[in-house]
Amino acid sequence: MRKKFAVPLIVLGVLLMLVGIGQRTFWAPPETESVSVDPRSSEESAAVTVLEPELLADYPDGVDITVRSEQPFTLAVGRANDVQAWVGDASATRVGPGEDGLSLTVGTDRTGITAPNPAGSDLWVVEKSGEGELSYAWEAPAEGDWRILLAADGTAAAPTDITLSWESDATSPFAVPLIVAGALLAVLGLALAFLRSGSDGPRRGGNRSTEPGTEPSGPQPKDTQSKDTAPKDTAPSVSGTTSAFAAASGRRRPAFLAAAAAAVLVAGSAPAAAVAEDSAPRSRPVIVDSQLTRILDSVAGTVQAGDAAKDASLLAPRVGGAAYAMREANYAVAAKSADHSAPVPVAAETLRTQSIGTAAGWPRTVVAVTQGKDNPVPQALLLVQDSARDNYKLVSAVQMLPASTFPQPPAADAGADQIRTESDNGLAMSPQFAVEALADSLTVPDGSQKDTFAANRFSEDVVKFQQQVQTDSKNEFASNKFRHAADPLATYALRTDDGGALVFGYLYNSFSSTPKEAGDTVNLEGTVYEALTGKPSTDKGIDVLHGEAVMLYVPAAGGTSQALVVGASQELLSAKLK
């Protein structure tokens, strides 16, 4: 009887194994899935192509992006609002997710409006150049919303032949169970085929009886399935069941399963208050570490080239404001006075600390404290980006004063709030007032602002110089007047960790020397002023102008501490005869 079942079991087992093997080989689902933009889907060409945040957010585990174009192009990754600000009013093809999760939506904003070439913009966290075909493995650089921008040169049509591909989550969960079950059935069938009958009927050659209580002779049937060959559990695992559901319900995007898993984890382990706190929007630094490194390298290289050639025109791409004015003047003075000191070098490293603003709009402010091998003391570099399409420029470079400490910035991942300079913002005084108070204290050392700032080396040296000029015997026939005035357009402020403010300002230090009486002269002999004017003396007088870049700390309101001068730099701007 058992032999009647042996052959069918063997055949069924082999068939099950073949089906299982087929599901792992020629019937296996594709390893990857993809969705593409038909380059003909956009009726109008645009200056840029933008992959929208909603599309990128659908791939929290990453996605491979392939772009094809017959001409050179740039792929740039930036924060969503930064990319949008850079695009501005330029014509843009926007690529978003389709409703079914297996298609893309494509639309074009405006037509015919060009944009600058995006290559080299400081806004980009990642920048790739391509021609023909470029593959980029997208993964969010940090928390927040992101956009990807594609453009040729801002004038030619941007690439629109785009393919997104990702690992398929469709599997063959029953392949292994089928192979195992088939093998067991085949083994069982073979065992039944080789077993002898276990009936008690007569044997050939005569009858043989057994006495009660004795064991029957001859071989006994064996157990057809040992405990070593039977699997403890042949049911599919939980993960296999999930994959089977995914395969049965059609292709799914990675975001669906990731979102579902996240929902389970949140529901099972996090209280409602924690979820609400995590989802609340928070300010973020306007640049990440890799951007800051790239920006500092570019700034330092530009300044180095300008200093080497003593050519201010070379500074223009990366230097502006007070930093440009002071270096331009230094080069001009050095051209007439060979012993004039060169400006302090600007170094990209070693980066000692940083304070990065969080402003969503512009201008944006970043401070980096570096010290290169040629910097005797750390140097604070103030970088400002005026608009989305402008790169950061160095607008102030000041040397840390002896015994001074850089005010503690907020945590790196939180960034520092930019402060309006004309408002006190919870400070002991407004940033602009602080710069003006310093100017007043230098003009009139014993005046109303003499106690606003704690004692510091910069103020002491400036006041000492002014007193020496007044008492120098060489100037006994000259009347000398000093005046320090703040430039209201050159003040910047960032919040510190203790609620105070780090303030950068720029002062004009004007020195006017005129003869006391008719027939008197102002002696210029042996000074840099003689080299600049070509005269050893003047009976008309001379006007001298210095630029003074300063870095201050203003404490929070309610405290008793004084404001501090943390860093400063001074440069002779001009000397002109009256």
Side-chain angles (χ1 to χ4, degrees), residues 510-514 529 533 541-545 574-578:
S510 58
F511 162 42
S512 178
S513 183
T514 57
Y529 310 134
T533 63
I542 186 172
D543 290 324
V544 178
L545 185 65
S574 65
K576 299 179 181 179
L577 297 178
K578 292 182 178 293

Side-chain angles (χ1 to χ4, degrees), residues 46-49 72-76 86 115-118 149-159:
V48 298
T49 297
F73 64 92
T74 296
L75 180 151
W86 188 92
N117 190 325
L149 179 141
L150 303 170
D153 58 1
T155 302

Side-chain angles (χ1 to χ4, degrees), residues 58-81:
D58 277 352
Y59 303 95
D61 297 325
V63 66
D64 292 329
I65 301 174
T66 302
V67 183
R68 289 166 288 272
S69 175
E70 295 180 355
Q71 58 186 345
F73 64 92
T74 296
L75 180 151
V77 178
R79 293 201 178 273
N81 63 312

Side-chain angles (χ1 to χ4, degrees), residues 141-185:
E143 293 182 1
D145 295 330
W146 301 88
R147 279 186 169 97
I148 293 180
L149 179 141
L150 303 170
D153 58 1
T155 302
T160 55
D161 189 351
I162 306 166
T163 298
L164 279 64
S165 58
W166 61 93
E167 291 186 1
S168 174
D169 55 8
T171 61
S172 301
F174 298 113
V176 173
L178 285 172
I179 294 172
V180 173
L184 291 176
L185 290 176

Side-chain angles (χ1 to χ4, degrees), residues 134 205 253 298-299 357 374 412 434 436 458:
L134 172 66
R253 306 177 89 164
S298 179
V299 168
D374 296 324
E436 293 172 353
F458 170 71

Side-chain angles (χ1 to χ4, degrees), residues 41 45 72 120 179 198 225 251 268 270 278 305 364 383 422 426 428 498 501 510 524 553:
S41 61
S45 62
I179 294 172
Q225 185 172 336
R251 293 185 296 178
D278 290 344
R364 291 178 171 181
L383 307 168
E422 68 277 7
D498 61 358
S510 58
L524 306 178
Y553 167 73

Side-chain angles (χ1 to χ4, degrees), residues 56-359:
L56 299 177
D58 277 352
Y59 303 95
D61 297 325
V63 66
D64 292 329
I65 301 174
T66 302
V67 183
R68 289 166 288 272
S69 175
E70 295 180 355
Q71 58 186 345
F73 64 92
T74 296
L75 180 151
V77 178
R79 293 201 178 273
N81 63 312
D82 288 357
V83 174
Q84 182 58 34
W86 188 92
V87 172
D89 61 355
S91 58
T93 297
R94 299 187 180 274
V95 182
E99 294 182 359
D100 59 0
L102 297 173
S103 62
L104 301 173
T105 60
V106 181
T108 301
D109 298 344
R110 299 172 293 277
T111 58
I113 304 177
T114 62
N117 190 325
S121 172
D122 286 344
L123 285 184
W124 316 141
V125 177
V126 176
E127 181 180 323
K128 303 285 185 181
S129 58
E131 183 175 3
E133 182 173 301
L134 172 66
S135 293
Y136 170 62
W138 154 257
E139 187 174 349
E143 293 182 1
D145 295 330
W146 301 88
R147 279 186 169 97
I148 293 180
L149 179 141
L150 303 170
D153 58 1
T155 302
T160 55
D161 189 351
I162 306 166
T163 298
L164 279 64
S165 58
W166 61 93
E167 291 186 1
S168 174
D169 55 8
T171 61
S172 301
F174 298 113
V176 173
L178 285 172
I179 294 172
V180 173
L184 291 176
L185 290 176
V187 170
L188 181 58
L190 290 172
L192 289 176
F194 286 99
L195 284 178
R196 295 182 179 179
S197 171
S199 65
D200 295 334
R203 291 174 174 266
R204 294 182 182 180
N207 296 329
R208 177 178 296 180
S209 62
T210 60
E211 295 181 1
T214 62
E215 293 293 332
S217 61
Q220 301 299 314
K222 296 181 180 179
D223 187 357
T224 58
Q225 185 172 336
S226 71
K227 64 180 181 180
D228 292 334
T229 60
K232 295 182 180 180
D233 186 5
T234 59
S237 65
V238 174
S239 61
T241 303
T242 302
S243 299
F245 173 78
S249 60
R251 293 185 296 178
R252 289 175 173 263
R253 306 177 89 164
F256 178 85
L257 293 179
V264 172
L265 290 174
V266 169
S269 61
V275 175
E277 181 179 352
D278 290 344
S279 61
R282 63 181 181 85
S283 59
R284 295 185 176 88
V286 293
I287 60 174
V288 299
D289 290 345
S290 60
Q291 286 174 281
L292 178 59
T293 299
R294 189 174 70 241
I295 292 166
L296 287 175
D297 286 343
S298 179
V299 168
T302 299
V303 173
Q304 182 179 9
D307 288 352
K310 296 191 181 300
D311 183 354
S313 66
L314 299 179
L315 302 175
R318 282 295 188 179
V319 185
Y324 184 91
M326 294 174 76
R327 266 183 155 74
E328 180 185 38
N330 181 276
Y331 300 162
V333 173
K336 295 183 177 182
S337 177
D339 58 351
H340 188 63
S341 299
V344 176
V346 170
E349 54 185 22
T350 302
L351 179 62
R352 295 192 171 277
T353 190
Q354 63 198 51
S355 183
I356 300 178
T358 59

